[in-house]
Amino acid sequence: MHRLKALFWDNIGALIEALHRRILHLIERYTRAQMGAIWSLEAKFQTFLDVELAVIEAQCKMGLVPESAFKEVKEKARFDVKRIDEIEAEVRHDVIAFLTSVAEHVG
């Protein structure tokens, strides 16, 4: 039983990834372009970035973050979906992968 459990957990990531790819394929196939764009990874991570920038802006207004730092982050903040996928494959967490990608651009 222990070996079966270990085999399951060793392969669950690959199984989920394969299922995710199939679902995305179906979504792409049967979804209008405008609706599909809303649910794209690009849109997901852009929303993440918008939230992060809004938080930094609020912290700036509260005096917790210098205005110059906010401007620099806003100017440099970018992400790369392919890079996020690479990082996520390693860390297995989409938010950490996203933040790492942004940090690579901001410095």
Side-chain angles (χ1 to χ4, degrees), residues 25-80:
H25 174 72
L26 287 173
I27 291 170
E28 289 171 6
R29 185 174 180 177
Y30 296 107
T31 301
R32 292 181 183 182
Q34 289 174 321
M35 184 61 85
I38 292 170
W39 300 106
S40 70
L41 290 176
E42 185 77 29
K44 171 185 171 178
F45 294 124
Q46 184 60 53
T47 301
F48 283 14
L49 184 58
D50 293 345
V51 169
E52 291 295 330
L53 291 173
V55 169
I56 297 170
E57 183 177 21
Q59 290 176 333
C60 180
K61 288 178 181 177
M62 294 169 61
L64 300 172
V65 172
E67 190 172 341
S68 60
F70 169 61
K71 286 180 179 179
E72 183 178 354
V73 170
K74 189 174 180 180
E75 217 174 84
K76 294 180 178 181
R78 303 280 179 277
F79 60 88
D80 180 318

Side-chain angles (χ1 to χ4, degrees), residues 83 87 99-107:
R83 180 67 179 130
I87 298 165
L99 291 172
T100 302
S101 176
V102 173
E104 289 174 349
H105 290 273
V106 173

